[in-house]
Amino acid sequence: MLDQSMASAEDLMTREVVVVHPDTKLATAVKLMAEHAISGIPVVDAAGMPVAMLTEGDLLRWHGEFTEKQAWWLEHLADGYDLAPTFLGALRSQSRKVSAIMSKDVTYVSPETPARELARLFYEKKIKRVPVVRDGKMVGLVSRADLVKALAKELAAEQAAEKA
């Protein structure tokens, strides 16, 4: 059904998108996600270009302390000495920012991307949302729910045409 659709990303996208930056505190990002009932939030640079996504999955994988690999490096860095508490505190504060856990492999599309291509991207890349970018800046976001709404609208129109 969507392969016959004339809808594009621009037709389907949400235009008012909540975003965060890599240096946003995780607590702030989580609060925004909860307040807006969203499962993922684009991470944009200063120019408004998406550089990553922060998702519920990222939050579930995050445990708030050093990873095993980070702990190994810190142990070798100290080499028998205690690391300064202020140094460890600074490292921990960095791990409490969006940049510490965001998914950097962000897929984005142009406003002209057809609905069928969006569906293919969601399925093949196992993603739930894509930022829509024009001239190096995010102008919207299309989610799987947006595609479902478009499909429902097309099915309703098809049923109405059959009854006529």
Side-chain angles (χ1 to χ4, degrees):
M1 195 89 211
L2 285 173
D3 24 330
Q4 300 167 357
S5 175
M6 299 305 290
S8 68
E10 189 165 32
D11 300 326
L12 304 172
M13 71 185 186
T14 299
R15 286 167 169 66
E16 299 295 321
V17 180
V18 178
V19 300
V20 294
H21 299 275
D23 63 345
T24 300
K25 291 181 180 179
L26 270 174
T28 301
V30 170
K31 183 177 179 185
L32 283 170
M33 290 171 70
E35 286 175 353
H36 294 276
I38 53 179
S39 62
I41 190 167
V43 182
V44 298
D45 64 15
M49 181 68 176
V51 294
M53 294 293 289
L54 178 66
T55 68
E56 290 171 332
D58 297 324
L59 293 169
L60 292 175
R61 283 186 295 275
W62 176 67
H63 51 77
E65 272 301 324
F66 298 121
T67 65
E68 189 175 319
K69 186 176 184 179
Q70 289 169 324
W72 183 88
W73 277 107
L74 287 173
E75 184 179 310
H76 281 63
L77 176 67
D79 196 25
Y81 295 94
D82 289 333
L83 291 171
T86 54
F87 174 71
L88 289 173
L91 287 176
R92 282 193 179 94
S93 72
Q94 288 302 310
S95 73
R96 301 292 196 289
K97 291 185 180 179
V98 168
S99 59
I101 66 167
M102 64 189 189
S103 297
K104 294 175 186 164
D105 185 22
V106 64
T107 298
Y108 56 88
V109 297
S110 73
E112 298 78 25
T113 303
R116 67 183 173 278
E117 176 66 13
L118 293 167
R120 185 190 65 75
L121 279 172
F122 290 154
Y123 177 76
E124 288 180 0
K125 293 192 172 251
K126 295 177 176 55
I127 55 176
K128 298 179 182 178
R129 65 201 60 77
V130 290
V132 181
V133 174
R134 177 185 292 130
D135 300 325
K137 184 176 180 184
M138 189 173 82
V139 295
L141 186 85
V142 179
S143 70
R144 292 190 307 186
D146 295 323
L147 280 180
V148 170
K149 288 176 195 171
L151 182 58
K153 186 176 177 181
E154 289 200 20
L155 288 172
E158 186 180 276
Q159 285 180 338
E162 288 175 0
K163 289 181 181 179

